[in-house]
Amino acid sequence: MKIIIPIKQVPETSNVKIDEETGTIVREGVESIVNPLDLYAIEAGIQLKEERGAEITVVSMGPPSAEKALKEAIAMGCDDGILISGKEFAGSDTWATSYTISRAVKKLGKFDLILTGERATDGETGQVGPGIASFLDLPVSTYTSRIVEVTEVSIVVERLIEEGYEMLRMPLPALVSVVKEICFPRLPTLRGKQKAKKTELARWNADNMDIERSALGLNGSPTRVVKIETPKVTRSGEVVRVTDEESLADAVERFLTFLRKKGIL
Amino acid sequence: MSYQGVWTLAEANDGEIKIVSYELLTRGRELADKLRCELASVLICGRIDEKDAEELILRGADRVYLVSSPELEHFVVGSYSNILIDLIERYRPEVILSAATTTGRTLMPHAAVKIKAGLTADCTELDIEEGTGNLLQTRPAIGGNIMATIKTPECRPQMATVRPKSTRPAPRNENRRGRGEIIRIELAPALLDRRVERIGFRKNPGEDINIQGADVVVSGGRGLGKKENFALIRKMAELLHGVVGASRETVDRGWISYPHQVGLSGKTVTPKLYIAVGISGAIQHLAGMKTADIIVAINKDPDAPIFRVADFGIIGDFLEVVPQINQSLAKEGERSEV
Ligand SMILES: Cc1cc2nc3c(=O)[nH]c(=O)nc-3n(C[C@H](O)[C@H](O)[C@H](O)COP(=O)(O)OP(=O)(O)OC[C@H]3O[C@@H](n4cnc5c(N)ncnc54)[C@H](O)[C@@H]3O)c2cc1C
Ligand SMILES: Nc1ncnc2c1ncn2[C@@H]1O[C@H](COP(=O)(O)O)[C@@H](O)[C@H]1O
């Protein structure tokens, strides 16, 4: 089967800078990693490949440095990678991103399954997966926690919803976005890394894709970031220390008083 | 025709409207008042009694667009999205709010793409910009490191999902009886996406996993030392009428199941009260609970970062502290029952 996995390169969460003027994330000079939640999509794809044979293409839209993310996915076991990069894509919101990736999928031709992460840890929207499915009119399962069965023509999955787990059957091709529960991502092997080094990535942009320019990047994005603030993290709370019986009784009493004051009890 | 009116998407399960639908009405009412326009709720569901749908009116909706059919019993995004788009094209609302639940976060992007609407995820604050009347949507991003305010200057409708529990449910107002209108919309079969079939459902073995819908979340971390000690956390959660949360460390160790995980790669919760027991407060954990109303930390390390975000902290061994708290809470409970 043919599997496509869109992955995003994101800054390490503990290390983030914002461009005050445009309100977008500064990617230069910050350590970048594969979106941690995309590793689960990659692993789920590789497991399908091991079970029943598959060819996996990873696709990333981002700056040239996103090449590293694609190579890492290949080192884990994916087969080839496509980097969608160019000024025309800068400032894309989830609408423009979903559009661009859906056009890349079109260009790739026949496929059976698209796997995405639940959300990217920078933008944290989780909108791109369902967005791609909508552009391509694919059946979709979000918050997928288990792939139960795959045949030539269909897939059965379990998705984690508020009330429990629901099982869905859908025809292929389909889009499945996954949560962490689905698997445990492997580390790249040395052999994988060597293979990744040798793998030539395809480079796509608006010139070699069948794509509407006016729908790309900031221009094609319905939303605008108008303000960025760094919220105050610290709260000045009351802290009590327990060292012996007496301070324990005191701490518990003060805790209950606190809860009463806050209207919890 | 221009776009007018504020919509909230209500959710129902098994014929019962979910509380988050009323939280959205609180948000919607504020915006509709500022825009001086009508507030409507859209309810797409399997079945609902007229008097239950009326609850949306008592809690603030001027209209309810009701699309119910046994074929809509389970959420299938293709069908719901087609129905929503059909309603949007007919009635043209200016603002659409949905809850940031698994349903809302799937339905909204699916629909927004098709009609080229701007969509902002998981908002915690909403307002109207003076002068332009644009919706200002504020949300935490990058693990709660920043708050971004977003607007959609040109495209309509303006769509946003709203973090559950980030506001109170709108109260029922009996005076509103008969002051709103329920408009039943016949389901056009062509709108159904019959490709996706729900073939099974199971509850999480044992306990409530809807940690995003709870007022109180009591979470345990690696400091608990072993799986069995989650019993103390469960007890405290039960005494406070809350649910159990967990750090990733405990989930990865198999002490508790993934649906309980709070944080960057788990769920984001905004309860009234969040209690972290034996959790250090790594940035990825904070990302999932920083917006709770009240944060309590119980940890034996006075330098644990969790204390920096706590409104009340107890430095001590949870094995001593938690049983004592549980005992006092139990007494408190008995007293209130008399
Ligand atoms: C990409 C990524 C995503 C992640 N996503 C998440 C996520 O979604 N959720 C999450 O939680 N983490 C997440 N993490 C992991 C996170 O970085 C931390 O490793 C994790 O939160 C630590 O869990 P903990 O606080 O339970 O354990 P620890 O950091 O080990 O803390 C244990 C605490 O217990 C205290 N303690 C020990 N014994 C006692 C005692 N007897 N009484 C009282 N206190 C005691 C210790 O002082 C310590 O502070 C993620 C990490 C990455 C890289
Ligand atoms: N720029 C991108 N390039 C490739 N895939 C992406 C990109 N942005 C998002 N995705 C995919 O969409 C998922 C959801 O991302 P988001 O909606 O941004 O939270 C991610 O886990 C990726 O699988």
Side-chain angles (χ1 to χ4, degrees):
Chain A
M1 70 191 298
K2 171 96 191 137
I3 301 174
I4 300 171
I5 309 181
I7 63 170
K8 188 176 188 186
Q9 191 182 46
V10 298
E12 272 246 59
T13 27
S14 40
N15 183 5
V16 179
K17 290 195 199 98
I18 308 297
D19 183 328
E20 302 279 342
E21 240 156 65
T22 60
T24 50
I25 301 156
V26 181
R27 282 163 215 280
E28 287 78 32
V30 178
E31 210 206 320
S32 294
I33 53 172
V34 177
N35 171 27
L37 303 190
D38 291 351
L39 297 177
Y40 301 97
I42 295 170
E43 176 65 32
I46 297 171
Q47 287 184 9
L48 282 175
K49 174 176 166 176
E50 287 169 347
E51 277 160 33
R52 43 175 300 125
E55 194 195 316
I56 307 175
T57 302
V58 277
V59 180
S60 191
M61 180 184 87
S65 66
E67 179 185 323
K68 206 177 124 225
L70 292 167
K71 292 266 179 176
E72 189 175 328
I74 293 170
M76 284 173 73
C78 297
D79 298 285
D80 39 35
I82 293 160
L83 177 65
I84 309 170
S85 193
K87 279 198 207 59
E88 63 273 34
F89 304 110
S92 296
D93 73 356
T94 60
W95 193 96
T97 304
S98 307
Y99 172 68
T100 304
I101 294 172
S102 73
R103 295 315 297 168
V105 171
K106 274 272 191 243
K107 180 167 164 138
L108 278 167
K110 223 174 115 40
F111 67 94
D112 301 288
L113 184 62
I114 300 177
L115 290 168
T116 77
E118 179 197 341
R119 60 197 144 101
T121 56
D122 54 355
E124 288 191 87
T125 76
Q127 288 172 183
V128 170
I132 297 169
S134 184
F135 271 116
L136 298 169
D137 220 358
L138 296 172
V140 47
S141 166
T142 48
Y143 302 94
T144 309
S145 54
R146 192 156 72 99
I147 295 177
V148 182
E149 185 191 273
V150 180
T151 71
E152 290 286 302
V153 293
S154 72
I155 185 167
V156 175
V157 295
E158 220 167 42
R159 61 190 293 265
L160 174 57
I161 59 175
E162 286 78 5
E163 291 81 23
Y165 294 84
E166 70 173 4
M167 203 182 277
L168 302 181
R169 189 194 346 253
M170 326 185 274
L172 295 177
L175 185 142
V176 168
S177 83
V178 306
V179 293
K180 170 179 175 273
E181 193 174 20
I182 198 160
C183 58
F184 189 77
R186 69 191 68 193
L187 291 170
T189 58
L190 199 59
R191 239 181 77 215
K193 281 185 190 160
Q194 279 160 350
K195 186 186 137 223
K197 224 184 212 161
K198 277 185 254 148
T199 308
E200 208 41 67
L201 299 176
R203 279 156 210 282
W204 293 359
N205 55 43
D207 294 332
N208 58 18
M209 288 172 79
D210 174 16
I211 204 162
E212 183 125 12
R213 274 181 185 269
S214 65
L216 304 181
L218 195 61
N219 278 336
S221 297
T223 60
R224 289 284 177 278
V225 176
V226 290
K227 195 169 76 185
I228 295 277
E229 277 176 341
T230 316
K232 199 171 113 249
V233 196
T234 32
R235 305 186 182 202
S236 49
E238 177 181 356
V239 178
V240 294
R241 191 188 279 263
V242 172
T243 47
D244 52 20
E245 292 270 314
E246 202 178 314
S247 54
L248 174 61
D250 178 55
V252 171
E253 195 40 56
R254 276 164 71 177
F255 176 55
L256 261 67
T257 308
F258 172 81
L259 291 185
R260 273 185 217 111
K261 203 171 72 198
K262 295 285 180 185
I264 302 280
L265 293 181
Chain B
M1 196 177 116
S2 65
Y3 289 84
Q4 210 178 22
V6 174
W7 282 11
T8 65
L9 304 188
E11 287 183 39
N13 182 37
D14 240 351
E16 216 175 291
I17 294 180
K18 297 192 196 175
I19 305 286
V20 304
S21 315
Y22 307 139
E23 294 170 18
L24 289 177
L25 284 174
T26 301
R27 302 281 190 177
R29 181 39 69 199
E30 257 175 49
L31 300 178
D33 286 350
K34 282 194 181 155
L35 288 167
R36 290 173 220 266
C37 67
E38 267 193 4
L39 172 62
S41 269
V42 174
L43 178 55
I44 305 172
C45 63
R47 64 190 162 81
I48 190 95
D49 287 340
E50 190 92 7
K51 84 168 194 324
D52 290 326
E54 205 189 354
E55 187 76 17
L56 292 164
I57 291 172
L58 298 185
R59 295 185 190 248
D62 300 312
R63 270 164 203 255
V64 177
Y65 297 106
L66 178 60
V67 190
S68 76
S69 153
E71 296 193 88
L72 298 171
E73 169 99 28
H74 304 299
F75 171 69
V76 170
V77 63
S79 306
Y80 276 50
S81 175
N82 287 339
I83 292 167
L84 180 60
I85 291 168
D86 177 58
L87 290 174
I88 293 170
E89 284 170 350
R90 276 202 240 178
Y91 298 103
R92 298 181 160 248
E94 195 178 1
V95 171
I96 306 177
L97 308 180
S98 132
T101 51
T102 55
T103 296
R105 290 188 84 157
T106 306
L107 171 58
M108 294 285 271
H110 197 279
V113 150
K114 293 237 158 78
I115 54 173
K116 191 150 194 178
L119 170 61
T120 305
D122 207 21
C123 298
T124 51
E125 282 164 54
L126 295 167
D127 203 354
I128 300 293
E129 186 176 51
E130 272 190 46
T132 65
N134 282 323
L135 180 66
L136 295 174
Q137 307 154 96
T138 303
R139 61 179 301 251
I142 323 187
N145 283 305
I146 61 160
M147 295 295 286
T149 302
I150 291 160
K151 69 178 177 187
T152 304
E154 271 144 37
C155 300
R156 290 292 180 271
Q158 309 161 87
M159 298 171 72
T161 61
V162 181
R163 183 174 288 186
K165 292 278 157 196
S166 63
T167 187
R168 305 273 133 132
R172 167 196 277 157
N173 177 355
E174 285 297 337
N175 294 334
R176 288 190 52 83
R177 203 171 281 286
R179 296 258 224 93
E181 180 183 13
I182 296 178
I183 300 165
R184 280 191 177 274
I185 311 276
E186 198 66 38
L187 170 66
L191 297 179
L192 289 173
D193 179 352
R194 296 183 197 272
R195 294 174 298 179
V196 180
E197 208 188 331
R198 170 150 139 160
I199 55 175
F201 175 77
R202 65 184 169 95
K203 275 205 144 40
N204 195 45
E207 45 198 330
D208 190 358
I209 54 167
N210 185 9
I211 60 173
Q212 290 177 299
D215 281 334
V216 176
V217 178
V218 185
S219 286
R222 187 163 68 164
L224 294 185
K226 56 179 185 203
K227 181 176 181 167
E228 289 68 30
N229 285 336
F230 256 105
L232 286 170
I233 303 297
R234 267 187 209 105
K235 184 79 204 164
M236 175 146 57
E238 190 188 306
L239 288 163
L240 288 165
H241 309 289
V243 300
V244 176
S247 75
R248 180 169 112 171
E249 278 290 332
T250 62
V251 173
D252 286 354
R253 280 157 196 261
W255 296 354
I256 190 163
S257 65
Y258 171 70
H260 296 276
Q261 184 181 318
V262 172
L264 194 66
S265 50
K267 292 276 182 266
T268 303
V269 297
T270 310
K272 270 193 217 133
L273 173 63
Y274 187 87
I275 304 183
V277 183
I279 292 177
S280 60
I283 185 160
Q284 294 90 353
H285 188 80
L286 299 184
M289 40 65 78
K290 224 156 67 174
T291 55
D293 269 2
I294 307 166
I295 297 172
V296 173
I298 301 173
N299 195 307
K300 69 176 182 191
D301 174 9
D303 297 323
I306 191 77
F307 285 119
R308 275 184 252 149
V309 300
D311 301 289
F312 193 95
I314 302 178
I315 303 168
D317 190 328
F318 84 93
L319 276 174
E320 292 171 16
V321 176
V322 174
Q324 203 63 46
I325 289 176
N326 287 351
Q327 213 176 44
S328 298
L329 285 174
K331 267 196 221 133
E332 185 87 11
E334 280 163 28
R335 214 176 302 149
S336 65
E337 265 159 41
V338 193

